């Protein structure tokens, strides 16, 4: 029995960029590029005619057009994930996209090395988008596990043993959490997560 493929559609008016994403994603046998759409005006119609599991949608198109305006209409068409491609880190833009139905965000140039794992994380539900007062962040299932263990007072070595991973991996995940939540210390990390209902008592 072959691997069940998940259908990906890429909508980006820069054909070369879209083809670059497609090439990376096609390295994974479980992902299939159903279509590349470069015309802003045909996105909703084309997506409606396709079988889609995940739409990778660039935010900015030529002539100052913004695909956030299409999200509500796209979401009405079918039940699939919409992951926004962004070339900037504007929290206002992310918040607006999130409010209109976006399921996640991928930094267009920064996240290329992790593109496949990010896409699969969204498809498998192991990445969750969290809205905080000033930002939108994505936290992986492993990061949640580590957060919860830190919260109950486990040391890095204990976490590594419990999760059967290397302590360096624990430190790396912890560093990513610090960066995502813009904190410097573990105590700040826990407080921020509690204040924003990322951790529940």
């Amino acid at each position: 029995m072959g691997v069940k493929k998940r259908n990906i559609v890429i909508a980006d008016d820069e054909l070369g960029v879209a083809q670059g994403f497609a090439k990376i994603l096609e390295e994974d046998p479980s992902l299939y590029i159903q279509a590349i759409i470069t015309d802003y005006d045909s996105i909703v119609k084309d997506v409606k005619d396709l079988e889609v599991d995940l739409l990778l949608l660039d935010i900015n198109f030529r002539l100052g057009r913004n695909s956030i305006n299409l999200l509500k209409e796209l979401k009405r068409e079918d039940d699939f994930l919409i992951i926004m491609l962004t070339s900037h880190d504007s929290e206002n833009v992310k918040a607006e996209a999130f409010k209109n139905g976006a399921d996640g965000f991928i930094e267009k140039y920064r996240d290329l090395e992790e593109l496949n794992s990010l896409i699969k994380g969204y498809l498998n539900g192991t990445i969750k988008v969290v809205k905080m007062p000033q930002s939108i962040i994505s936290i992986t299932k492993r990061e949640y596990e580590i957060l919860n263990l830190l919260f109950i007072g486990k040391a890095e070595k204990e976490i590594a043993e419990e999760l059967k991973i290397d302590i360096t991996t624990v430190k790396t995940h912890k560093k990513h959490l610090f960066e995502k939540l813009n904190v410097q210390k573990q105590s700040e990390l826990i407080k921020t997560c509690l204040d924003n209902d990322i951790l529940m008592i």
Side-chain angles (χ1 to χ4, degrees):
M1 185 185 291
V3 176
K4 183 183 184 303
K5 292 183 179 286
R6 310 297 292 274
N7 294 320
I8 312 293
V9 172
I10 303 171
D12 191 315
D13 60 359
E14 296 181 71
L15 180 59
V17 172
Q19 289 173 333
F21 279 109
K23 186 175 180 182
I24 294 170
L25 292 171
E26 285 178 329
E27 292 172 0
D28 190 312
S30 70
L31 302 177
Y32 174 70
I33 306 304
Q34 184 85 332
I36 290 175
I37 303 169
T38 57
D39 179 15
Y40 178 90
D41 294 320
S42 72
I43 292 172
V44 174
K45 177 185 177 298
D46 289 354
V47 168
K48 184 179 178 180
D49 293 337
L50 295 166
E51 186 178 330
V52 186
D53 291 307
L54 183 146
L55 170 63
L56 201 53
L57 178 62
D58 193 21
I59 289 180
N60 294 310
F61 282 73
R62 292 187 182 91
L63 305 177
R65 289 182 290 185
N66 187 316
S67 67
I68 292 173
N69 299 322
L70 304 177
L71 285 172
K72 288 183 179 177
E73 194 173 356
L74 283 164
K75 272 298 188 182
R76 285 200 298 267
E77 298 299 345
D78 202 353
D79 184 24
F80 56 86
L81 294 174
I82 301 178
I83 305 302
M84 308 302 289
L85 282 170
T86 173
S87 54
H88 46 73
D89 218 0
S90 168
E91 296 303 341
N92 289 334
V93 170
K94 286 184 177 181
E96 186 67 17
F98 187 72
K99 185 176 75 175
N100 282 279
D103 297 293
F105 305 90
I106 287 177
E107 300 296 329
K108 199 167 185 178
Y109 303 108
R110 192 178 69 187
D111 291 336
L112 280 179
E113 288 183 8
E114 298 178 43
L115 182 62
N116 275 330
S117 61
L118 288 169
I119 291 294
K120 291 184 79 172
Y122 281 119
L123 283 167
N124 298 332
T126 56
I127 295 180
K128 180 181 178 183
V129 177
V130 178
K131 189 175 189 303
M132 295 172 60
Q134 301 300 322
S135 64
I136 305 287
I137 59 170
S138 300
I139 296 179
T140 66
K141 183 180 178 181
R142 180 64 87 192
E143 287 167 349
Y144 266 115
E145 290 173 339
I146 289 170
L147 257 179
N148 280 290
L149 291 170
L150 288 169
F151 175 59
I152 62 174
K154 297 274 187 178
E156 290 174 354
K157 185 179 178 184
E158 292 175 303
I159 293 172
E161 289 170 356
E162 183 159 335
L163 298 179
K164 297 181 173 57
I165 57 177
D166 193 86
I167 192 168
T168 306
T169 305
V170 175
K171 290 178 184 292
T172 300
H173 284 302
K174 193 172 167 182
K175 178 174 176 284
H176 289 162
L177 284 165
F178 277 29
E179 291 170 351
K180 288 179 179 182
L181 291 149
N182 193 29
V183 297
Q184 305 296 321
K185 299 184 296 186
Q186 185 171 312
S187 57
E188 289 180 280
L189 175 68
I190 300 301
K191 183 177 186 306
T192 299
C193 289
L194 287 170
D195 289 347
N196 292 280
D197 297 326
I198 297 170
L199 278 171
M200 308 291 276
I201 297 177

